[in-house]
Amino acid sequence: MADFITLRSDEATQEPVVTLESFAGQSNATAVRIEPGEDARLLLGQLDRISLVEVNFPAYTDGRGYSAAQILRESGYTGELRAVGDVLIDQLAYMRRCGFDSFKPNAPLDDADVEAAFARYPDVYQKTIDGRTPIWAKRHEDA
Amino acid sequence: MYQYDNYDQAMVDARVAEFRDQVARRLEGKLTEEQFRPLRLMNGLYLQLHAYMLRVAVPYGTLSGKQMRMLGHIARKYDRGYGHFTTRQNIQYNWIKLSDAPDILADLASVEMHAIQTSGNCIRNISSDQYAGVAADEVADPRPWAELLRQWSSFHPEFSYLPRKFKIAVIASAQDRAAMRLHDIGLELVKKDGVIGARVFVGGGMGRTPIVAPEINAFITEDEIISYVEACLRVYNRYGRRDNKYKARIKILVHELGVEEYRRQVAEEFAHMKALGLNPPREELARIAAHFATPAYESGLSDDLDRSDPDFALWVDRNVTAHKQPGYAIANISLKPIGGIPGDASADQIELMADLAERYSLDELRVTHAQNIVLPYVKKADLYALWKELEANGLGEPNLDLVTDIIACPGLDYCSLANARSIPVAQKIASRFASNGRDAEIGELKLKISGCINACGHHHAGHIGILGVDRKGTENYQLLLGGSGAEDCSLGTITGPGFDENGIVDAVEKATDLYLRERTEGERFLDTYRRLGMAPFKEAIYG
């Protein structure tokens, strides 16, 4: 069972994580946590000094964190992007597509289930920041 | 029509395998009902009053004969021999066993069908005009765009846990046959200076807060539709309300922000999206469009009809619509036999319609949001033979758009959300108006019944709408007048105090009697209501 999953090759960031509100006032902080109602764009001027963004999912049904992740990646953030909270097997693949590269679920996940979840779908229909070639592009490469 | 390539098939097959695994875990007790619920919902499986209900997607309402035959097979093998066509151009089965669900999805996948995202707070099946491709007034066949949107919305990672469900309709005619402005996003394809693009309407819907969608953008070019819709969705996903399920649809966000502010936020997000290359290239739209190419029509066919059989002539006048190709016709099959259940068809009937499509309609059928079936490519010379077979099998009801062609939700007979039964009310109204011949006298009258405030039966958009409510433990029915889901979109107004089951039938009759007395030449019920206003109708109903 895994209580932390990372897709990154570097070490997971151990820095203390501060709230978005206090992050602005703490020039030495490098890790920040975003709650569902908070605007990820407030971080855009400071991406250079951030090594970890935690995006909290208090309930898996609240999908605002997917947009927060996409916005950060689309804006060039390359540090660790961690989904924390009510993170379940069936959301992992979508989270990865939106740019999450580590996961800290409230309840540990079965390793085999995690592996199966990431491997389930052979292709993707949309272009996102994960860099996978969407089906519509592959079709015309093949041709 | 569209056919899957290996990519599409592999995605649907993967979904079947995933769901089979999830159902196995549920049946073994490894998943609780609570954990399983969101997983089954993403596959269209609801737990209803008596059994599981499975909703199968019919993308933009288009089906081949082979697909239709499979729907009949599923009705026979896994249900009690019936299927129910819905107001979102889908089909539902009301008596499904959980252990059969993976096999059903596998059967569907074998004919390029699925139940993906027919439920849950995600982007649902894309709906469209049932006359797409054969309507004389369209600027283009809207289905290639609908298919592009279907693929884009399938397994969309950012928009699978939205505040609430999300429905998109695409049409391409000034005449709206799909209730486009009552969708979360409505796209109307238009041509400007020879270029195709879309008018974008956002924030329409029915339910407990009905709103006609305002126009958010007057013209977005066809190459940018996906990224513009993506921008509309992102603003909604970030700022749509999640504190109250009844205020979570995008219509509430647009209403609370105001149209101007929502439009501004979308524009800002769109400016950002434009740089991301989210739109499939023109070649992809062309690839899809090739599947919807104009069929090889026979030329030189006669437009003459032998109308000597009066029953046939009546059916032609009521249920057959003009086709853009000489010698051809659009045949509507009514699933509203008098006294029947609106939208229901037996396995035998579904299979017969599949056969008829293969023999008479270039192997294609459409499902309409009014819960009827269309054969879009019938040679006029074949109409009589077609009608004979329909007539012999309970599918020849000549009542398209009449007061007996009722839209009704499943209501309290099936649905766990309902407050009142819809089906018996529909049956009583249809029987009353058919037996006294008033249905024919009245002409076009769209009557729509919902068994609760969620409005699945589109009562807000009925020329006459009926809403079932629970009043101190008994079923009570409110009457609404003046709604329309067409291009003259409007919302009905409640007449006053509600009625019991027999009372509502009487009230409808009083309203239509007034119409018959007051109408001027060529006026439909709706037109007379709009001209006279509510007061005389109220007087006739309650006075």
Side-chain angles (χ1 to χ4, degrees):
Chain A
M1 301 295 277
D3 52 17
F4 181 73
I5 299 151
T6 181
L7 304 169
R8 296 177 67 89
S9 48
D10 53 359
E11 287 283 302
T13 310
Q14 301 298 336
E15 296 297 316
V17 178
V18 302
T19 64
L20 185 64
E21 199 184 349
S22 51
F23 183 77
Q26 293 180 30
S27 56
N28 58 345
T30 61
V32 58
R33 177 185 179 103
I34 300 179
E35 298 297 333
E38 294 178 337
D39 184 1
R41 289 205 163 98
L42 296 176
L43 291 174
L44 296 192
Q46 309 163 80
L47 294 179
D48 291 350
R49 69 163 164 123
I50 303 176
S51 58
L52 168 67
V53 179
E54 277 191 0
V55 177
N56 188 27
F57 289 85
Y60 78 86
T61 48
D62 189 332
R64 285 177 282 188
Y66 295 89
S67 289
Q70 288 258 93
I71 285 167
L72 290 172
R73 291 298 192 209
E74 285 164 5
S75 306
Y77 175 65
T78 56
E80 184 175 348
L81 188 52
R82 186 184 291 170
V84 305
D86 193 20
V87 174
L88 308 173
I89 286 291
D90 301 280
Q91 284 88 53
L92 290 179
Y94 286 168
M95 286 177 169
R96 178 158 82 167
R97 293 225 62 214
C98 291
F100 287 104
D101 54 11
S102 72
F103 309 88
K104 198 174 157 198
N106 285 341
L109 301 174
D110 184 90
D111 298 283
D113 289 348
V114 171
E115 202 177 318
F118 282 132
R120 177 70 71 187
Y121 288 92
D123 273 297
V124 295
Y125 275 122
Q126 312 78 11
K127 184 173 176 188
T128 70
I129 43 59
D130 69 352
R132 293 179 71 179
T133 306
I135 288 171
W136 50 256
K138 286 193 171 185
R139 280 176 174 140
H140 302 282
E141 279 170 9
D142 294 353
Chain B
M1 54 181 283
Y2 188 71
Q3 289 180 337
Y4 285 3
D5 65 4
N6 291 338
Y7 291 111
D8 298 310
Q9 191 66 51
M11 294 297 278
V12 169
D13 289 345
R15 178 60 141 213
V16 175
E18 179 183 45
F19 192 58
R20 193 178 289 285
D21 173 56
Q22 289 163 345
V23 169
R25 284 190 281 149
R26 172 74 188 112
L27 292 173
E28 287 162 19
K30 289 183 185 166
L31 286 175
T32 64
E33 169 54 23
E34 198 191 346
Q35 291 168 321
F36 180 60
R37 188 171 173 276
L39 309 180
R40 64 172 166 75
L41 286 179
M42 287 283 185
N43 289 286
L45 197 63
Y46 287 76
L47 189 54
Q48 292 289 41
L49 283 178
H50 313 290
Y52 282 98
M53 179 272 275
L54 179 70
R55 182 181 295 146
V56 175
V58 180
Y60 34 90
T62 296
L63 285 161
S64 69
K66 185 175 163 191
Q67 291 174 323
M68 187 74 161
R69 191 168 293 105
M70 179 58 81
L71 297 180
H73 166 78
I74 289 168
R76 177 175 290 107
K77 184 167 178 189
Y78 303 105
D79 194 274
R80 296 186 177 176
Y82 281 89
H84 178 76
F85 290 93
T86 78
T87 56
R88 296 218 67 251
Q89 303 177 290
N90 292 324
I91 185 168
Q92 294 178 181
Y93 298 100
N94 283 314
W95 302 96
I96 294 302
K97 286 207 281 293
L98 176 58
S99 54
D100 286 337
D103 290 338
I104 301 174
L105 295 190
D107 284 352
L108 289 170
S110 75
V111 294
E112 304 177 13
M113 293 185 79
H114 60 75
I116 295 163
Q117 292 170 209
T118 57
S119 171
N121 294 334
C122 50
I123 303 167
R124 303 289 189 87
N125 186 32
I126 312 293
S127 57
S128 188
D129 184 343
Q130 69 267 21
Y131 298 159
V134 292
D137 60 342
E138 67 187 11
V139 300
D141 187 334
R143 292 174 300 165
W145 284 269
E147 175 60 26
L148 201 66
L149 285 160
R150 182 191 76 81
Q151 297 188 25
W152 161 79
S153 62
S154 294
F155 314 106
H156 198 295
E158 188 177 338
F159 306 133
S160 287
Y161 296 95
L162 294 167
R164 203 71 180 86
K165 59 188 169 184
F166 204 92
K167 302 172 181 178
I168 301 176
V170 191
I171 65 170
S173 304
Q175 237 191 314
D176 181 2
R177 288 170 285 259
M180 178 273 290
R181 290 186 71 184
L182 295 169
H183 284 72
D184 295 286
I185 292 183
L187 299 170
E188 180 189 348
L189 298 179
V190 289
K191 226 177 217 169
K192 201 169 97 179
D193 306 327
V195 178
I196 289 185
R199 287 176 80 189
V200 184
F201 298 86
V202 183
M206 293 187 253
R208 54 189 75 202
T209 316
I211 296 180
V212 177
E215 185 184 275
I216 297 297
N217 195 310
F219 191 82
I220 191 85
T221 66
E222 59 171 323
D223 298 322
E224 295 183 313
I225 289 175
I226 293 288
S227 52
Y228 193 79
V229 170
E230 184 114 4
C232 292
L233 260 300
R234 179 174 286 177
V235 173
Y236 171 54
N237 191 42
R238 299 187 76 207
Y239 299 112
R241 287 181 61 172
R242 291 174 187 263
D243 59 322
N244 179 342
K245 138 178 202 193
Y246 302 116
K247 296 186 189 296
R249 295 287 289 269
I250 194 172
K251 62 192 172 187
I252 304 292
L253 176 70
V254 174
H255 182 71
E256 288 183 354
L257 284 179
V259 174
E260 275 307 313
E261 175 59 15
Y262 176 74
R263 182 184 289 133
R264 190 194 65 75
Q265 292 190 17
V266 170
E268 210 170 273
E269 199 67 63
F270 180 54
H272 164 76
M273 297 277 176
K274 272 177 142 176
L276 299 174
L278 301 177
N279 295 289
R282 280 250 166 119
E283 303 86 79
E284 177 61 1
L285 184 68
R287 184 192 73 87
I288 293 171
H291 289 286
F292 298 98
T294 305
Y297 289 121
E298 288 177 39
S299 56
L301 296 178
S302 165
D303 275 318
D304 293 340
L305 273 183
D306 178 356
R307 296 172 57 93
S308 54
D309 182 332
D311 291 336
F312 170 65
L314 183 68
W315 178 78
V316 167
D317 291 341
R318 297 251 180 84
N319 287 35
V320 174
T321 306
H323 197 288
K324 69 179 177 187
Q325 182 71 17
Y328 285 81
I330 303 170
N332 284 275
I333 303 174
S334 168
L335 297 183
K336 318 292 176 62
I338 306 306
I341 297 176
D344 266 23
S346 69
D348 288 342
Q349 289 176 327
I350 295 171
E351 286 166 355
L352 175 73
M353 289 188 277
D355 288 346
L356 295 174
E358 285 167 352
R359 275 189 279 145
Y360 296 120
S361 182
L362 304 179
D363 196 20
E364 198 173 309
L365 311 98
R366 312 284 174 80
V367 183
T368 81
H369 88 273
Q371 304 178 281
N372 293 315
I373 301 294
V374 174
L375 296 179
Y377 303 104
V378 183
K379 283 185 220 165
K380 284 187 178 160
D382 288 336
L383 278 173
Y384 188 71
L386 168 67
W387 171 76
K388 277 291 210 190
E389 292 198 56
L390 291 173
E391 178 70 5
N393 290 280
L395 292 169
E397 196 66 53
N399 65 344
L400 192 78
D401 292 338
L402 299 189
V403 63
T404 53
D405 180 10
I406 296 170
I407 290 182
C409 70
L412 196 53
D413 290 298
Y414 295 99
C415 178
S416 55
L417 300 175
N419 297 123
R421 290 167 302 153
S422 306
I423 294 168
V425 174
Q427 290 168 326
K428 280 191 179 174
I429 291 172
S431 301
R432 170 89 57 97
F433 281 85
S435 65
N436 62 19
R438 290 280 164 79
D439 54 348
E441 205 183 336
I442 292 167
E444 181 185 319
L445 201 176
K446 299 194 176 184
L447 194 146
K448 312 189 183 195
I449 308 174
S450 303
C452 80
I453 199 165
N454 292 310
C456 297
H458 293 192
H459 64 275
H460 298 296
H463 299 175
I464 293 180
I466 294 172
L467 167 64
V469 296
D470 173 279
R471 210 184 60 178
K472 297 174 191 152
T474 58
E475 293 162 272
N476 189 268
Y477 296 91
Q478 294 181 343
L479 184 65
L480 295 87
L481 301 177
S484 169
E487 60 281 3
D488 58 353
C489 195
S490 61
L491 302 168
T493 307
I494 294 179
T495 55
F499 306 89
D500 66 12
E501 193 175 304
N502 290 320
I504 190 72
V505 183
D506 294 339
V508 170
E509 192 164 26
K510 286 173 187 164
T512 53
D513 283 350
L514 175 73
Y515 156 70
L516 290 174
R517 285 196 302 274
E518 297 292 333
R519 70 177 168 189
T520 60
E521 184 67 29
E523 257 187 355
R524 303 169 300 165
F525 176 89
L526 180 64
D527 304 321
T528 304
Y529 170 80
R530 284 176 173 167
R531 178 169 56 80
L532 296 179
M534 179 62 93
F537 284 92
K538 224 167 167 164
E539 173 66 25
I541 294 164
Y542 298 98

